[in-house]
Amino acid sequence: MKLLSFILLIACIGSGTIIKSQEFTPVQGREYEYSIETDEVGTGYKVVSYYLKNTCDKKLLFFNFNAKEEFNKDVALKALPEDIVILEPHRSRKICKLKITGDSPEVTWQAKILEPSVGFNKFPENGKNYMFFWKSSTAGNRITYSYLLKNTDDRRMKFYGFTLEPADGITISRNLPGSTVYLWPDSITKAVTFSLPSDKEAPLLNWTAEFTNFQPTGDEFCNQMIRILEAAGEGDFASVKGDIQGQGNYSCSINIPGINASGISEIAGKWQFSGLVEEKGTKKEINALLKVYTTRMDDCIPDIIALKIIKNKASKNKSSLFSGEVDGKTYSALLAVEGSEAQPNDYRLSLIIYTAE
């Protein structure tokens, strides 16, 4: 595991406060250009577009876009970016389009140079596979910050071990995540929100980042199922637990297509996810369903989690058991045909994912 930190320094400029990263900050007029162009002139108004252009040979990251005055819906024909803009070398981007009646409003942002990494990276790298950035706003003599992480890779990754170092006068309004945070490609999470006096330094945020063992597929059933399978490695499925349904029972915050009546329960001191696959049917229909879902799961679960077909000697019902060791823990999932000849139309297929141990 690799501990990744983003060191924040405070640089006071006039009466404001700007955070600067430990990475090199690009200089406007040297690494990039900023321009405002008039698109249209009408009676008592004009339409203007704001542009950023990367003029250097390295990638640039722009974030924390703010306007000196708030735009109403009629003014902003194209709103400022909500999170980040990454500009490849010698590329430009329209960041805002406004319909205005006076002078062009002032827009601010933060920027940094993204240094390329060399060679294969076993762990996700800030600035390459994901981006750490912040949003800020000022009210009176206090600044509010939100620290965010965005996955810019095509691989799924997880973040945990969040800590925020102490800071003078800090007030936290959104606490750090209490469990592992999983980020799918192009997804984003807010790690913490806090405010502090404008003359104080913003605190250091620490975290650990890793690529996940189970990666995205082209099947939405698989994508949702592997989220639960990986949460089994947490011991109690904390990252996918929903509302409490009763003593030792929770709903699941993840909906797997085709799975009904799902939930997370503690049985004999161990947690497990369980759900029913589609609807009840005859034994022949459910056996056919078992074959279909066994194939789907086998296609998206890593090969080191092996498949074994089991047949119950008493009921003659079949089950598909997936089990294997990943990073020192045994992950197990079971597709089981349940039912008896006494109720020939009430056979069903259940999915159980056990706590990884």
Side-chain angles (χ1 to χ4, degrees), residues 187-262:
S187 63
I188 190 170
T189 188
K190 186 179 294 184
V192 67
T193 299
F194 62 89
S195 67
L196 75 170
S198 57
D199 61 346
K200 300 296 182 181
E201 291 190 358
L204 172 73
L205 178 68
N206 301 306
W207 63 85
T208 299
E210 296 178 356
F211 290 115
T212 62
N213 295 310
F214 308 98
Q215 288 299 322
T217 72
D219 186 338
E220 191 61 15
F221 168 84
C222 285
N223 285 343
Q224 302 306 326
M225 186 272 297
I226 62 177
R227 293 174 69 179
I228 299 173
L229 189 64
E230 188 145 41
E234 301 166 5
D236 60 355
F237 296 88
S239 65
V240 297
K241 272 184 180 175
D243 297 330
I244 189 166
Q245 303 295 309
Q247 187 173 4
N249 298 293
Y250 290 81
S251 65
C252 182
S253 60
I254 303 301
N255 295 316
I256 306 177
I259 305 298
N260 305 310
S262 62

Side-chain angles (χ1 to χ4, degrees), residues 280-342:
K280 294 179 180 180
T282 65
K283 187 170 186 177
K284 182 179 180 180
E285 291 170 336
I286 300 305
N287 277 335
L289 203 59
L290 171 66
K291 185 177 181 180
V292 170
Y293 277 87
T294 296
T295 300
R296 293 181 73 177
M297 290 181 65
D298 196 33
D299 286 343
C300 62
I301 292 179
D303 292 339
I304 54 177
I305 300 181
L307 167 62
K308 182 179 181 181
I309 304 299
I310 303 169
K311 190 172 184 178
N312 186 293
K313 292 182 179 180
S315 67
K316 307 299 182 182
N317 291 337
K318 293 180 180 179
S319 298
S320 297
L321 175 64
F322 295 85
S323 185
E325 186 175 302
V326 179
D327 289 344
K329 290 184 178 182
T330 299
Y331 288 78
S332 300
L334 181 70
L335 277 170
V337 175
E338 300 174 347
S340 67
E341 294 180 358

Side-chain angles (χ1 to χ4, degrees), residues 5-289:
S5 302
F6 192 86
I7 299 176
L8 304 178
L9 301 176
I10 299 298
C12 294
I13 301 179
S15 60
T17 303
I18 296 179
I19 298 183
K20 290 187 177 180
S21 73
Q22 64 184 15
E23 286 85 356
F24 292 111
T25 301
V27 177
Q28 183 178 333
R30 189 175 67 190
E31 279 82 21
Y32 72 94
E33 295 176 353
Y34 165 64
S35 62
I36 303 175
E37 297 183 6
T38 301
D39 299 332
E40 177 186 345
V41 177
T43 303
Y45 75 89
K46 62 180 177 178
V47 176
V48 295
S49 293
Y50 293 63
Y51 292 89
L52 288 171
K53 181 178 181 179
N54 183 351
T55 57
C56 70
D57 294 325
K58 295 181 179 180
K59 284 186 180 182
L60 300 182
L61 172 68
F62 297 89
F63 61 99
N64 195 29
F65 291 91
N66 283 297
K68 289 291 186 178
E69 56 188 78
E70 186 176 349
F71 304 147
N72 59 44
K73 293 182 180 179
D74 295 331
V75 169
L77 303 180
K78 175 182 172 63
L80 286 169
E82 284 293 318
D83 46 59
I84 64 174
V85 169
I86 297 176
L87 283 185
E88 299 285 342
H90 307 289
R91 296 289 183 179
S92 62
R93 177 79 63 87
K94 181 189 294 186
I95 60 168
C96 188
K97 185 175 182 179
L98 306 176
K99 182 178 181 180
I100 58 177
T101 57
D103 295 332
S104 299
E106 183 180 351
V107 172
T108 62
W109 58 83
Q110 301 292 328
K112 68 176 181 179
I113 297 174
L114 300 177
E115 295 286 350
S117 60
V118 179
F120 175 77
N121 54 329
K122 183 178 180 181
F123 297 95
E125 295 180 14
N126 181 20
K128 177 182 179 182
N129 310 106
Y130 69 93
M131 303 292 164
F132 169 83
F133 64 102
W134 67 86
K135 292 182 179 180
S136 67
S137 61
T138 302
N141 65 346
R142 293 186 70 83
I143 302 181
T144 297
Y145 294 104
S146 289
Y147 287 173
L148 302 102
L149 294 161
K150 182 171 185 176
N151 183 351
T152 56
D153 201 86
D154 59 0
R155 289 170 288 180
R156 188 164 167 258
M157 57 192 71
K158 61 182 179 181
F159 298 83
Y160 59 94
F162 290 94
T163 60
L164 188 66
E165 297 199 351
D168 293 337
I170 190 170
T171 299
I172 296 178
S173 55
R174 179 189 175 96
N175 290 323
L176 293 168
S179 59
T180 301
V181 174
Y182 295 90
L183 287 186
W184 289 72
D186 202 40
S187 63
I188 190 170
T189 188
K190 186 179 294 184
V192 67
T193 299
F194 62 89
S195 67
L196 75 170
S198 57
D199 61 346
K200 300 296 182 181
E201 291 190 358
L204 172 73
L205 178 68
N206 301 306
W207 63 85
T208 299
E210 296 178 356
F211 290 115
T212 62
N213 295 310
F214 308 98
Q215 288 299 322
T217 72
D219 186 338
E220 191 61 15
F221 168 84
C222 285
N223 285 343
Q224 302 306 326
M225 186 272 297
I226 62 177
R227 293 174 69 179
I228 299 173
L229 189 64
E230 188 145 41
E234 301 166 5
D236 60 355
F237 296 88
S239 65
V240 297
K241 272 184 180 175
D243 297 330
I244 189 166
Q245 303 295 309
Q247 187 173 4
N249 298 293
Y250 290 81
S251 65
C252 182
S253 60
I254 303 301
N255 295 316
I256 306 177
I259 305 298
N260 305 310
S262 62
I264 297 169
S265 304
E266 186 177 20
I267 300 175
K270 295 182 180 180
W271 292 92
Q272 69 176 41
F273 165 89
S274 61
L276 298 178
V277 182
E278 297 191 12
E279 303 295 337
K280 294 179 180 180
T282 65
K283 187 170 186 177
K284 182 179 180 180
E285 291 170 336
I286 300 305
N287 277 335
L289 203 59

Side-chain angles (χ1 to χ4, degrees), residues 335-356:
L335 277 170
V337 175
E338 300 174 347
S340 67
E341 294 180 358
Q343 295 177 302
N345 295 316
D346 288 340
Y347 281 85
R348 63 184 189 178
L349 183 62
S350 65
L351 169 63
I352 301 174
I353 298 176
Y354 300 96
T355 294

